Amino acid sequence: MRGLLIVAAAYLMASPALSEGFDRPIPQAQSATAEFWFAMGSIGLIIALILVQRLVARR
C-alpha cells in the first residue's frame, strides 16, 4: 500500500499539467561599455600572444 502511494505521488508530481512551457531567452544588446572592455581584452590578448611568440623565438 505504501509503495503504491509513493508511485502515485511521484506520477502526480511529474505530470505535464504542473510543468511550464519553455520560454526562449531574448538576447540583450551590448552596451558601449561592454564593447569597450571586450576590445581592450582582445587587444591585450593579442599583445600577450605577440610577446610570448617573441620570447619563444629567442630560445
Side-chain angles (χ1 to χ4, degrees):
M1 180 74 169
R2 187 174 183 182
L4 182 62
L5 185 62
I6 292 173
V7 170
Y11 177 75
L12 289 174
M13 288 184 167
S15 69
L18 298 176
S19 63
E20 296 179 11
F22 177 71
D23 293 328
R24 292 186 68 138
I26 299 171
Q28 301 294 322
Q30 286 189 347
S31 65
T33 306
E35 290 182 7
F36 170 76
W37 285 114
F38 182 79
M40 290 296 110
S42 299
I43 291 169
L45 179 62
I46 291 169
I47 291 171
L49 288 173
I50 291 170
L51 292 174
V52 167
Q53 190 274 332
R54 292 180 70 192
L55 178 68
V56 171
R58 286 187 191 172
R59 292 182 180 218

